[in-house]
Amino acid sequence: MQKINILAIVGSLRKGSYNRQLALAAKEIIGDRAAFALLEYEDVPLMNQDIEFPAPEPVKRVRNAVKSADGIWFFTPEYNHFFPGVLKNLLDWLSRPISASEPQVLAGKPAAISGVTPGMFGTALAQDHLVTLISFLNMKVMNAPRLTISYAAQQLDGQGKLALRDSYPYLENQAGAFLDFVRRHMQGK
């Protein structure tokens, strides 16, 4: 069987963000069970139909990464009870058809969602809003298990890095479940 290709999309552009650290922890957990890459998209311009065709090079690059992925794993913070604008902008670009003959690249892709925040509510509201959007875009959402981690500061090591002392087993569980979810989707094609 071919190796599963997971693409992680982090909702924060900050290189040291908790959610980027969470994505890297998921990559470590998955190990050699699947290919796992983080999508870099800080150069994607604001969505603007005036520049939609031909698509800017950064948009072409992220579309190709999504097209080649077997599953998309979102790691999103929560900003004002919503997922970040940079993630919405990326999804706006990815939701657009590539051409008159080629549809958007998200439809049918299996998706998982995780998130960590310093606040007390985790990222549950942001995740619910994200599920609404990606369901509309016809992604296949793994609704359970989802992972929301609150009070990130309580799970930091001595260098201020996310250590996931309490949440690591939940991330392991979600990683295994997502690999199974993607595998089932691939077999059903």
Side-chain angles (χ1 to χ4, degrees), residues 12-151:
S12 171
L13 297 180
R14 189 171 64 86
K15 293 298 181 199
S17 78
Y18 292 145
N19 283 281
R20 186 178 189 88
Q21 291 178 53
L22 185 62
L24 292 172
K27 179 179 182 175
E28 182 181 298
I29 288 168
I30 286 184
D32 63 359
R33 294 184 288 168
F36 188 105
L38 271 69
L39 182 68
E40 302 296 343
Y41 64 96
E42 62 277 348
D43 57 343
V44 170
L46 290 174
M47 176 60 197
N48 179 345
Q49 288 180 307
D50 289 340
I51 62 170
E52 186 173 6
F53 298 106
E57 287 304 316
V59 173
K60 290 178 186 176
R61 186 190 78 249
V62 298
R63 282 179 174 160
N64 286 335
V66 169
K67 279 172 56 174
S68 67
D70 298 310
I72 308 295
W73 194 342
F74 294 96
F75 296 85
T76 187
E78 185 168 299
Y79 297 170
N80 298 317
H81 296 305
F82 216 83
F83 57 88
V86 293
L87 180 54
K88 174 65 166 72
N89 182 64
L90 176 68
L91 291 169
D92 286 342
W93 274 110
L94 294 173
S95 73
R96 304 293 291 174
I98 294 173
S99 68
S101 62
E102 193 172 0
Q104 57 102 335
V105 296
L106 294 170
K109 294 282 181 184
I113 305 173
S114 299
V116 57
T117 185
M120 66 186 271
F121 297 114
T123 59
L125 291 172
Q127 289 187 28
D128 285 345
H129 290 300
L130 184 56
V131 166
T132 299
L133 176 56
I134 65 177
S135 294
F136 172 74
L137 298 176
N138 203 27
M139 294 188 82
K140 306 301 178 199
V141 180
M142 183 182 79
N143 277 306
R146 279 201 252 155
L147 181 60
T148 62
I149 301 172
S150 55
Y151 299 120

